[in-house]
Amino acid sequence: AAGNYWVYDVPGSIQNGRDSLYVANDTVIGSNTYKKLKTRFLATGFFSGAMSNNGVRASGDELVLSGSAAIPFSEDFPVTIAVSDFTIFKQGAAANTLLDEVSGTITQQYEGIPLKLNYELGTTAKENLATYSINNQTYTNVKRVETVLNLEITATIEGIPFPLTIMSAQDVVISSQYYAEGIGVVHVVTDFQYELGQLPFELPIPQTGSESQEEILVDYSVE
């Protein structure tokens, strides 16, 4: 419902923050009506950032997302992925059921270098929990969903007759969202990590990167 909100503390290994995610209004995408989600300020957390400015709707016992999300693969090098009715949750899914998967290629310039990013984004239903405790709160009937982004980066370099592998295919984002019945997401645990290949030149991106982050529900209002 419009006005519903969820407030998260976001402790991380690199950056801390607080996000306020809320239902702003209805929005029509194609022939379907969605609830548009927004954050009060620029989101710190992976989940709030992925939801913000996108549309979510119920389809049977599923929640599906349409829009585009910037994935903070690297602070200086965000990756934006567009999705259409991508399943982020399914009430009746058995454990270890693949909910949805999308793949594609993004071409973009970075410091004048043409890059091709091959990605696979998937969501999988994990365990069902009778109870789940976080932040001195215990929730009942909780379902965990795992979201994984796999990314490969190649570059076309002048003078080299074949694409150069900047980063071999690897899981750069692994995130668990804990959904509590009647409330929504109460906890998110996300790991970001990558390792570039050995290159004959330097890129203005660190050779490796890693960050761990949580999003912990501290306040909410759901109608």
Side-chain angles (χ1 to χ4, degrees), residues 24-38:
N25 54 269
D26 286 352
T27 183
V28 177
I29 304 173
S31 59
N32 293 311
T33 300
Y34 299 76
K35 297 298 182 182
K36 189 167 188 177
L37 298 177
K38 293 184 179 181

Side-chain angles (χ1 to χ4, degrees), residues 6-110:
W6 302 262
V7 180
Y8 300 95
D9 272 345
V10 188
S13 59
I14 295 178
Q15 183 181 14
N16 298 323
R18 174 170 280 205
D19 291 336
S20 180
L21 180 68
Y22 65 96
V23 179
N25 54 269
D26 286 352
T27 183
V28 177
I29 304 173
S31 59
N32 293 311
T33 300
Y34 299 76
K35 297 298 182 182
K36 189 167 188 177
L37 298 177
K38 293 184 179 181
T39 52
R40 188 174 180 186
F41 304 107
L42 184 65
T44 302
F46 165 77
F47 176 74
S48 292
M51 296 296 103
S52 182
N53 294 314
N54 291 319
V56 175
R57 69 182 179 93
S59 177
D61 69 341
E62 298 181 357
L63 290 177
V64 298
L65 173 74
S66 286
S68 61
I71 309 297
F73 150 66
S74 168
E75 182 179 349
D76 300 319
F77 189 54
V79 178
T80 301
I81 294 176
V83 295
S84 178
D85 279 350
F86 184 77
T87 302
I88 59 173
F89 176 80
K90 182 176 175 63
Q91 177 73 23
N96 299 314
T97 299
L98 180 67
L99 300 181
D100 212 339
E101 192 171 46
V102 63
S103 61
T105 299
I106 303 167
T107 301
Q108 62 189 57
Q109 295 270 339
Y110 185 73

Side-chain angles (χ1 to χ4, degrees), residues 4-6 8 47 63 88-91 127-134 137-145 176-188 215-223:
N4 285 2
Y5 65 83
W6 302 262
Y8 300 95
F47 176 74
L63 290 177
I88 59 173
F89 176 80
K90 182 176 175 63
Q91 177 73 23
E127 67 270 23
N128 299 321
L129 304 167
T131 61
Y132 182 76
S133 297
I134 183 70
Q137 295 290 324
T138 298
Y139 303 96
T140 58
N141 193 12
V142 174
K143 296 177 180 291
R144 181 169 76 93
V145 174
S176 288
Q177 299 90 48
Y178 293 82
Y179 287 81
E181 185 176 24
I183 298 173
V185 173
V186 298
H187 189 206
V188 184
E215 293 162 83
I216 302 169
L217 187 70
V218 294
D219 190 19
Y220 69 93
S221 176
V222 175
E223 295 181 5

Side-chain angles (χ1 to χ4, degrees), residues 115-135:
L115 299 180
K116 182 178 288 186
L117 296 82
N118 299 312
Y119 67 86
E120 290 184 0
L121 177 66
T123 49
T124 303
K126 292 297 186 177
E127 67 270 23
N128 299 321
L129 304 167
T131 61
Y132 182 76
S133 297
I134 183 70
N135 196 36

Side-chain angles (χ1 to χ4, degrees), residues 48 149 166-167:
S48 292
L149 173 64
I166 301 295
M167 188 181 77

